[in-house]
């Protein structure tokens, strides 16, 4: 095991117990989603998580958060229930706002009908696996195959499982009896105590020693009853090379498919629009040079011209300009070459800009920030218009 804390700190949640029942603010399912997103966005591995598989995606509510992670390029949504997948397949399509405020990189989303127990070609090269409130819905024969498929065949860098904590059920039964099957949901095949869940996790890392795990939870217990733990318990499995540890064994380069596995069935696939910058590196730097020179002139007009109303020349040091361009990787040699190519005068390590007879609005030195800001504001308004399409069902299973 290893110690893990949420990157953004503990959740600020409220659990309230009254005479008639218990409430969670925010709802426990939202807490689970936020926990999984924080884990995916952990700076230690975020840039290495390009392909994510969510098993048990159901109505695809979690996807609406996951799709906003810019570094993810492929999302596979997998569930055994084909009619449910077809019913909700259009919910993964891009919104109008996605065509205005493009992603910075590509995103392909596929909805697949299949079992978490079956290996399939589509699962190769997966970086992260998420399975929220899934394992308690499967029978023993499927449960026993999950570790070999996830940790043996897929070998991801990161895995997140969540499942109900049955230790918490003593609080629920104070208000209402459990269902006839003895669980919180009529499709649950089991509900584990914290010790049972830990035992299952330990069995996985014993068989697959390239992984370490940490146990967390969401849905705080009421005050003075902390001994029952959280409503929902989470396990975070991380491959040792992402914990700066040596792998116990080499990864299997081309793991074999289980001959008994049923191939996955593609239900829906969609590519999100994204901004593809086709400029060369020099063209990108030159655009930024123009912006910085124009900004310098504007600032000079506000300050120096008050002292010298007849000033018609502006000088900006090469050193100052380079410092402002560090984020695009500009070097002095490239900068000087660009200035020469574009007939910009350089004297004594300074860029010399002559005042022009035309206004800023007509100037070749443009500043696209104003346009960018307007587009962002329009995108926010469109997102607000689409909010109803993206809102979640308020009563998923606890």
């Amino acid at each position: 095991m290893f110690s893990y804390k949420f990157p953004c700190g503990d959740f600020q949640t409220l659990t309230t117990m009254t005479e008639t029942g218990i409430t969670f603010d925010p709802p426990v399912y939202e807490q689970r989603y936020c926990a999984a997103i924080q884990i995916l966005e952990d700076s230690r591995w975020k840039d290495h998580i390009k392909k994510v598989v969510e098993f048990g995606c159901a109505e695809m509510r979690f996807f609406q958060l996951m799709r906003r992670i810019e570094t993810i390029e492929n999302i596979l949504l997998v569930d055994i229930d084909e009619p449910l997948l077809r019913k909700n397949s259009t919910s993964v399509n891009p919104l109008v706002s996605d065509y205005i405020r493009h992603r910075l990189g590509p995103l392909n989303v596929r909805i697949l009908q299949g079992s978490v127990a079956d290996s399939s070609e589509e699962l190769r090269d997966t970086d992260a696996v998420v399975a929220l409130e899934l394992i308690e819905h499967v029978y023993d024969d499927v449960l026993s195959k999950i570790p070999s498929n996830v940790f043996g065949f897929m070998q991801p860098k990161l895995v997140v499982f969540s499942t109900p904590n049955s230790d918490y059920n003593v609080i629920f039964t104070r208000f209402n009896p459990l269902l006839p099957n003895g669980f919180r949901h009529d499709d649950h095949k089991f509900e584990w105590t914290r010790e049972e869940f830990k035992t299952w996790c330990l069995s996985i890392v014993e068989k697959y020693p390239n992984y370490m795990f940490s146990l967390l939870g969401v849905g705080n217990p009421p005050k003075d009853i902390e001994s029952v733990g959280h409503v929902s318990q989470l396990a975070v499995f991380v491959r040792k090379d992402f914990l700066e540890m040596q792998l116990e064994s080499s990864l299997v380069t081309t793991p074999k498919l289980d001959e008994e596995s049923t191939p996955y069935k593609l239900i829906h696939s969609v590519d999100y629009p994204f901004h593809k910058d086709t400029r060369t590196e020099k063209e990108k730097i030159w655009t930024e040079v123009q912006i910085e020179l124009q900004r310098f002139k504007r600032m000079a007009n506000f300050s120096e011209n008050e002292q010298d109303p007849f000033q018609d020349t502006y000088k900006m040091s090469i050193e100052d300009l380079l410092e402002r361009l560090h984020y695009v990787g500009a070097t002095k040699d490239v900068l000087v070459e660009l200035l020469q190519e574009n007939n910009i005068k350089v004297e004594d390590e300074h860029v010399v800009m002559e005042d022009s007879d035309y206004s800023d609005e007509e100037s070749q030195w443009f500043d696209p920030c104003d346009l960018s800001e307007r587009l962002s504001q329009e995108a926010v308004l469109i997102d607000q218009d689409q909010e109803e399409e993206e809102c979640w069902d308020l009563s998923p299973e606890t």
Side-chain angles (χ1 to χ4, degrees):
M1 294 182 65
F2 75 103
S3 177
Y4 184 82
K5 293 183 178 180
F6 292 119
C8 296
D10 292 335
F11 289 100
Q12 299 300 311
T13 64
L14 180 64
T15 302
T16 306
M17 192 161 61
T18 65
E19 294 181 358
T20 57
I22 185 169
T23 61
F24 303 94
D25 185 19
V28 176
Y29 80 96
E30 289 189 9
Q31 296 183 41
R32 276 196 299 268
Y33 291 172
C34 290
I37 291 296
Q38 281 200 45
I39 295 166
L40 287 172
E41 291 191 310
D42 191 307
S43 59
R44 285 177 286 182
W45 46 71
K46 177 182 177 181
D47 291 339
H48 301 276
I49 304 298
K50 303 295 183 183
K51 180 178 178 180
V52 181
V53 174
E54 184 193 1
F55 287 116
C57 62
E59 295 89 356
M60 304 168 213
R61 295 188 182 93
F62 177 63
F63 165 78
Q64 300 301 338
L65 290 176
M66 183 165 52
R67 76 184 187 92
R68 299 184 183 279
I69 301 178
E70 289 281 354
T71 48
I72 296 177
E73 298 179 355
N74 290 277
I75 296 177
L76 273 59
L77 303 169
V78 182
D79 202 285
I80 198 67
D81 190 337
E82 183 175 344
L84 181 64
L85 293 178
R86 292 193 178 279
K87 178 182 177 182
N88 294 280
S89 61
T90 58
S91 67
V92 306
N93 290 341
L95 302 173
V96 173
S97 58
D98 293 308
Y99 289 94
I100 294 178
R101 187 178 57 199
H102 288 179
R103 290 174 55 90
L104 300 179
L107 174 62
N108 173 260
V109 182
R110 282 179 284 170
I111 299 175
L112 299 163
Q113 187 272 330
S115 170
V116 64
D118 291 334
S119 57
S120 186
E121 284 292 342
E122 293 87 347
L123 302 180
R124 293 189 187 278
D125 302 316
T126 294
D127 297 308
V129 170
V130 178
L132 303 179
E133 308 298 283
L134 167 69
I135 57 176
E136 66 275 8
H137 289 273
V138 304
Y139 289 104
D140 287 344
D141 60 333
V142 173
L143 182 66
S144 64
K145 294 179 181 179
I146 290 177
S148 61
N149 186 33
V150 173
F151 299 95
F153 176 74
M154 299 174 72
Q155 307 172 101
K157 304 172 177 70
L158 175 71
V159 181
V160 180
F161 285 110
S162 80
T163 192
N165 167 27
S166 66
D167 292 331
Y168 206 101
N169 288 351
V170 295
I171 296 179
F172 289 136
T173 55
R174 292 186 181 188
F175 309 102
N176 294 294
L178 297 173
L179 297 177
N181 63 359
F183 303 128
R184 303 179 193 175
H185 191 277
D186 57 9
D187 188 52
H188 285 185
K189 309 303 185 291
F190 63 85
E191 288 177 0
W192 279 335
T193 64
R194 286 165 291 172
E195 193 59 35
E196 289 171 325
F197 188 42
K198 180 180 178 180
T199 299
W200 183 70
C201 295
L202 285 169
S203 70
I204 289 175
V205 296
E206 182 177 350
K207 186 173 182 180
Y208 300 97
N210 278 342
Y211 291 87
M212 300 279 281
F213 76 94
S214 184
L215 295 175
L216 306 162
V218 295
N220 291 333
K223 223 170 185 181
D224 302 324
I225 319 179
E226 287 83 359
S227 61
V228 299
H230 295 88
V231 174
S232 189
Q233 48 189 337
L234 288 87
V236 182
F237 291 84
V238 181
R239 215 171 62 196
K240 287 184 176 178
D241 48 333
F242 282 85
L243 294 174
E244 298 183 348
M245 299 173 65
Q246 187 172 354
L247 294 176
E248 298 294 328
S249 58
S250 300
L251 300 174
V252 180
T253 306
T254 310
K256 294 182 179 179
L257 293 168
D258 186 342
E259 295 179 357
E260 298 179 359
S261 293
T262 303
Y264 283 9
K265 181 178 181 180
L266 179 64
I267 303 299
H268 184 55
S269 178
V270 64
D271 288 302
Y272 271 61
F274 70 98
H275 174 66
K276 187 174 183 179
D277 195 340
T278 59
R279 296 174 299 167
T280 65
E281 289 302 313
K282 282 184 66 175
E283 289 171 337
K284 293 176 185 177
I285 293 172
W286 174 238
T287 298
E288 300 305 313
V289 168
Q290 294 178 79
I291 293 172
E292 293 301 335
L293 292 177
Q294 174 66 354
R295 284 175 176 164
F296 180 84
K297 279 183 63 177
R298 286 182 177 177
M299 292 301 297
N301 279 329
F302 283 120
S303 57
E304 296 177 11
N305 278 3
E306 293 179 1
Q307 303 173 14
D308 183 6
F310 301 105
Q311 178 182 350
D312 57 6
T313 302
Y314 305 86
K315 292 185 178 182
M316 182 180 187
S317 72
I318 295 289
E319 182 180 355
D320 186 15
L321 184 54
L322 274 174
E323 187 175 339
R324 298 188 187 196
L325 297 171
H326 70 89
Y327 60 92
V328 289
T331 64
K332 184 175 181 179
D333 290 342
V334 170
L335 178 57
V336 171
E337 183 180 342
L338 282 169
L339 293 170
Q340 290 174 347
E341 289 177 356
N342 290 277
N343 300 316
I344 306 300
K345 191 175 181 181
V346 178
E347 287 183 354
D348 300 325
E349 296 293 307
H350 283 74
V351 179
V352 180
M353 294 167 279
E354 303 293 337
D355 198 13
S356 61
D357 295 329
Y358 44 84
S359 64
D360 281 340
E361 286 73 19
E362 298 171 323
S363 174
Q364 62 176 324
W365 308 103
F366 68 93
D367 187 346
C369 295
D370 296 337
L371 175 61
S372 176
E373 184 175 350
R374 287 199 301 272
L375 286 176
S376 296
Q377 291 171 348
E378 291 174 9
V380 168
L381 291 174
I382 290 176
D383 268 347
Q384 291 172 348
D385 291 339
Q386 297 293 327
E387 184 176 354
E388 189 169 334
E389 287 186 36
E390 293 189 74
C391 69
W392 304 321
D393 184 345
L394 296 180
S395 57
E397 119 187 30
T398 302

